[in-house]
């Protein structure tokens, strides 16, 4: 969505250069016309310095039209011509009064001109010229004026927002994009850009509401859907996201992007649950190890005490043996340090015993979290499978299913890596085969995705997967594929 501004800037820049690319007879005529306009400008500039002429509304009307023409067609003569025309029209309204003090004929004409298409175009050309010169503040002023002249226009506020972005004026950019939408703008990517501005200023509700409008206009735009998911994730609104997206799926079950997006939501929810599981597993393991650590520490102290007794006996027989005395001092220090360790472990063991009910609750919570994680992973896979049923050639569905199986294999391998030699000799080889099988399940989805679209992320994943499977083959591990 960020690229929208780049595209629009290119359009904006092209608007002011058409007159510069002429040649031959057309260029000659253009030069002659420009000379005539320059003479009109010189005359107008001279007339307003004369007190008698400057007091006439007609002088200012001529000036307004001259400069409006310059801004509309010969902006190279004066890049601020539209502003001069605007001020001249205002002067006409100030000077031209009828006998009753109301606006005269020229004043009425000026009033209409201030709302007319010609002046609108003049300010747009002036804005383009200022933008080309990288004078973004003046470009904003000019194109804002164009928007004020024609409030129903969508082009002026859009270009004004582009200029505002160049100077990181988010407030103006937001205001102008809001005008674009209020004027009936229909480009969904512009709505997405406004949502990103809202998000950067932490106006989350506005961002989500704007994205909903954009998604309704372009339901297959995955960038819009992903941006909404990202906002939901960072603001902890996943329940709300799931409810809304399920409604979209129910309304249009054949929309592949909605199915993929819902699977992505469950993927992220599952990742968060998995973090909680790992954290709680660490805390639970620490509490359950307290008793074993204390027993091991006491056994080590007994070993040290036995060594003290042995060395003391030897020293009685060899009182002058310096090496024995050094060994005894070393063991006695270790014994003292071990007693301190035991005291600490006893404190921790007592605390663990006192918190037995809390530990029990922790185990229950861990069981519940694991069940929740399993359900979330199942839903992630289910919605990807549904997306594939609608369109087996959808890139995102294939890629994400490949990622799903790859990640499951990684989790299974983590369990194998934690095994000691005794555990591995009993169950490790079979589990290794299942890990290999799970990695292998990812391969057809990555391969299919590559046939649809060749992307860097996919190629990296596919290369990693192929290398892993080659390692299993070299180790002569038989891959065991399961249906679950």
């Amino acid at each position: 969505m960020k690229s929208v501004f780049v595209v629009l800037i290119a359009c904006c820049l092209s608007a002011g250069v058409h007159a510069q690319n002429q040649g031959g007879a057309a260029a000659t005529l253009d030069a002659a016309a420009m000379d005539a306009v320059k003479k009109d400008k010189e005359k107008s500039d001279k007339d307003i310095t004369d007190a008698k002429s400057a007091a006439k509304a007609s002088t200012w009307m001529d000036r307004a039209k001259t400069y409006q023409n310059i801004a509309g067609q010969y902006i190279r003569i004066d890049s601020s011509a539209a502003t001069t025309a605007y001020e001249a029209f205002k002067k006409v309204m100030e000077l031209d009064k009828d006998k009753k003090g109301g606006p005269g004929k020229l004043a009425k004409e000026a009033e209409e001109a201030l709302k007319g298409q010609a002046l609108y175009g003049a300010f747009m050309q002036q804005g383009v010229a200022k933008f080309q010169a990288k004078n973004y503040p003046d470009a904003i002023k000019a194109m804002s004026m164009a928007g004020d002249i024609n409030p129903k226009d969508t082009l002026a506020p859009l270009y004004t927002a582009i200029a505002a972005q160049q100077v990181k004026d988010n407030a103006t950019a937001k205001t102008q994009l809001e005008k674009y939408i209020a004027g009936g703008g229909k480009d969904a990517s512009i709505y997405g850009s406004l949502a990103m501005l809202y998000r950067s200023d932490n106006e989350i509700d506005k961002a989500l509401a704007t994205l909903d409008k954009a998604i309704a206009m372009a339901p297959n735009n995955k960038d819009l859907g992903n941006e909404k998911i990202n906002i939901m994730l960072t603001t902890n609104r996943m329940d709300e996201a799931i409810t809304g997206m399920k409604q979209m799926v129910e309304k249009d079950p054949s929309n592949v992007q909605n199915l993929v997006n819902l699977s992505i939501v469950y993927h992220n929810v599952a990742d968060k649950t998995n973090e909680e599981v790992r954290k709680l597993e660490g805390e639970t393991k620490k509490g359950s190890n307290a008793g074993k650590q204390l027993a091991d520490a006491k056994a080590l102290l007994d070993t040290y005490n036995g060594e003290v007794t042995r060395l003391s006996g030897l020293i009685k027989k060899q009182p002058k043996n310096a090496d024995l005395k050094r060994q005894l001092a070393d063991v006695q220090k270790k014994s003292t340090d071990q007693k301190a360790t035991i005291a600490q472990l006893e404190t921790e063991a007592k605390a663990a015993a006192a918190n037995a009910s809390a530990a029990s609750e922790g185990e229950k919570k861990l069981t519940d979290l694991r069940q929740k994680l399993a359900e979330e992973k199942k839903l992630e896979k289910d919605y990807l499978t549904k997306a594939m049923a609608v369109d087996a050639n959808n890139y995102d569905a294939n890629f994400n299913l490949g990622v799903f199986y790859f990640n499951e294999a990684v989790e299974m391998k983590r369990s194998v890596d934690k095994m000691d030699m005794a555990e591995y000799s009993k169950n490790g080889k079979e589990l290794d085969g299942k890990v290999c099988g799970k990695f292998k399940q990812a391969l057809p989805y990555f391969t299919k995705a590559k046939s649809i679209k060749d992307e860097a992320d996919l190629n990296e994943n596919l290369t990693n997967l192929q290398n892993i499977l080659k390692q299993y083959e070299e180790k002569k591990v038989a891959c065991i594929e399961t249906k679950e």
Side-chain angles (χ1 to χ4, degrees):
M1 289 183 291
K2 292 180 181 177
S3 62
V4 64
F5 287 116
V6 178
V7 174
L8 291 172
I9 288 169
C11 296
C12 183
L13 290 177
S14 67
V17 299
H18 60 89
Q20 299 179 29
N21 297 323
Q22 302 180 52
T28 302
L29 289 172
D30 183 60
M34 185 178 291
D35 286 340
V37 172
K38 284 180 179 178
K39 289 178 182 178
D40 290 341
K41 176 182 180 299
E42 290 169 2
K43 180 179 182 303
S44 177
D45 291 344
K46 183 178 179 181
D47 286 345
I48 63 168
T49 61
D50 179 77
K52 187 175 180 180
S53 296
K56 297 178 181 179
S58 58
T59 299
W60 290 96
M61 178 59 83
D62 289 341
R63 181 175 180 79
K65 290 179 178 179
T66 295
Y67 273 87
Q68 181 173 269
N69 184 34
I70 291 171
Q73 299 185 63
Y74 304 102
I75 194 69
R76 287 166 288 172
I77 295 175
D78 186 340
S79 64
S80 298
T83 301
T84 303
Y86 177 85
E87 292 169 350
F89 280 128
K90 285 285 190 180
K91 191 70 175 178
V92 172
M93 293 176 67
E94 177 188 323
L95 294 175
D96 187 37
K97 305 290 182 183
D98 61 17
K99 293 179 180 180
K100 296 181 180 180
K105 182 179 178 182
L106 288 179
K108 291 178 180 178
E109 184 182 342
E111 185 178 10
E112 286 301 310
L114 287 170
K115 299 181 289 185
Q117 187 66 22
L119 191 60
Y120 161 84
F123 271 110
M124 284 299 291
Q125 287 291 345
Q126 178 170 308
V128 169
K130 297 296 184 183
F131 193 105
Q132 288 175 320
K134 297 186 178 181
N135 183 348
Y136 301 119
D138 283 353
I140 292 169
K141 290 177 184 177
M143 290 187 282
S144 292
M145 283 295 299
D148 291 341
I149 291 168
N150 184 3
K152 294 181 179 180
D153 175 58
T154 58
L155 195 62
L158 184 54
Y159 285 0
T160 306
I162 294 167
Q165 281 277 298
Q166 305 309 303
V167 291
K168 302 188 186 307
D169 182 357
N170 281 5
T172 297
K174 284 192 298 185
T175 299
Q176 293 299 321
L177 290 182
E178 287 166 350
K179 286 184 177 180
Y180 167 85
I181 291 172
K186 298 297 183 184
D187 190 331
S189 62
I190 303 301
Y191 284 65
S193 297
L194 177 57
M196 291 172 69
L197 291 173
Y198 283 139
R199 182 186 181 186
S200 67
D201 288 340
N202 205 33
E203 296 178 272
I204 303 303
D205 289 337
K206 284 185 177 182
L208 292 173
T210 304
L211 281 171
D212 283 340
K213 292 177 183 177
I215 291 169
M217 295 167 63
N220 293 320
N221 186 319
K222 69 178 182 180
D223 289 335
L224 295 171
N226 288 340
E227 179 65 11
K228 182 175 180 179
I229 291 171
N230 289 336
I231 292 176
M232 291 291 195
L233 279 171
T234 55
T235 56
N236 199 27
R237 299 189 182 197
M238 296 314 298
D239 289 343
E240 182 183 337
I242 288 170
T243 299
M245 297 184 78
K246 279 186 175 179
Q247 289 173 351
M248 292 170 66
V249 167
E250 289 171 4
K251 185 177 180 180
D252 184 6
S254 63
N255 187 305
V256 178
Q257 194 58 53
N258 288 343
L259 292 165
V260 170
N261 284 344
L262 191 48
S263 76
I264 292 171
V265 171
Y266 276 113
H267 171 83
N268 285 287
V269 170
D271 275 353
K272 189 173 181 180
T273 304
N274 198 26
E275 288 178 12
E276 293 181 54
V277 167
R278 289 185 183 177
K279 182 180 178 181
L280 194 55
E281 280 177 341
E283 293 172 356
T284 304
K285 184 177 180 181
K286 183 179 178 181
S288 63
N289 284 344
K292 185 178 184 302
Q293 287 176 337
L294 179 58
D296 291 344
K298 286 182 176 180
L300 184 57
L301 178 61
D302 288 342
T303 301
Y304 289 149
N305 288 338
E307 189 66 5
V308 167
T309 301
R310 185 184 72 82
L311 290 169
S312 297
L314 290 173
I315 290 173
K316 284 181 181 180
K317 296 177 182 178
Q318 305 175 52
K320 294 182 180 181
N321 191 320
D323 188 52
L324 288 174
K325 290 179 180 180
R326 181 190 59 74
Q327 291 180 44
L328 177 61
D330 183 51
V331 175
Q332 284 174 331
K333 183 180 185 306
K334 289 181 178 178
S335 177
T336 301
D337 291 344
Q338 191 64 13
K339 287 175 183 177
T341 300
I342 288 171
Q344 177 63 33
L345 289 171
E346 284 177 337
T347 300
E348 292 178 5
K350 287 178 182 178
N355 294 327
S357 60
S360 177
E361 289 178 11
E363 288 286 355
K364 183 180 182 305
K365 184 178 179 182
L366 186 56
T367 300
D368 292 342
L369 277 174
R370 285 171 177 157
Q371 183 178 346
K372 180 173 180 285
L373 176 61
E375 290 172 356
E376 289 162 354
K377 295 299 292 180
K378 181 180 181 301
L379 286 165
E380 176 191 356
K381 182 183 174 184
D382 285 350
Y383 282 108
L384 284 174
T385 304
K386 288 178 181 179
M388 289 286 288
V390 175
D391 181 6
N393 292 316
N394 182 272
Y395 172 84
D396 292 318
N398 277 282
F399 178 77
N400 290 352
L401 260 175
V403 171
F404 177 86
Y405 286 119
F406 188 96
N407 289 343
E408 277 205 330
V410 170
E411 287 295 323
M412 291 171 65
K413 189 174 187 308
R414 188 175 282 116
S415 298
V416 175
D417 293 341
K418 288 179 181 178
M419 289 181 172
D420 57 30
M421 288 301 296
E423 288 176 310
Y424 187 81
S425 62
K426 185 178 180 181
N427 300 312
K429 289 185 178 180
E430 181 183 356
L431 188 52
D432 244 345
K434 290 182 178 179
V435 172
C436 176
K438 191 61 68 175
F439 274 123
K440 202 169 183 179
Q441 278 184 275
L443 185 59
Y445 297 105
F446 282 150
T447 304
K448 178 68 175 179
K450 185 175 176 64
S451 72
I452 299 166
K453 185 163 51 175
D454 195 1
E455 290 199 343
D457 286 347
L458 168 62
N459 287 329
E460 183 179 350
N461 279 299
L462 184 55
T463 300
N464 288 339
L465 177 58
Q466 289 168 337
N467 289 335
I468 289 169
L469 291 173
K470 185 178 179 181
Q471 289 171 19
Y472 277 109
E473 184 180 348
E474 290 171 351
K475 292 178 182 177
K476 302 191 184 303
V477 173
C479 297
I480 305 170
E481 294 189 51
T482 56
K483 293 182 180 180
E484 66 273 2

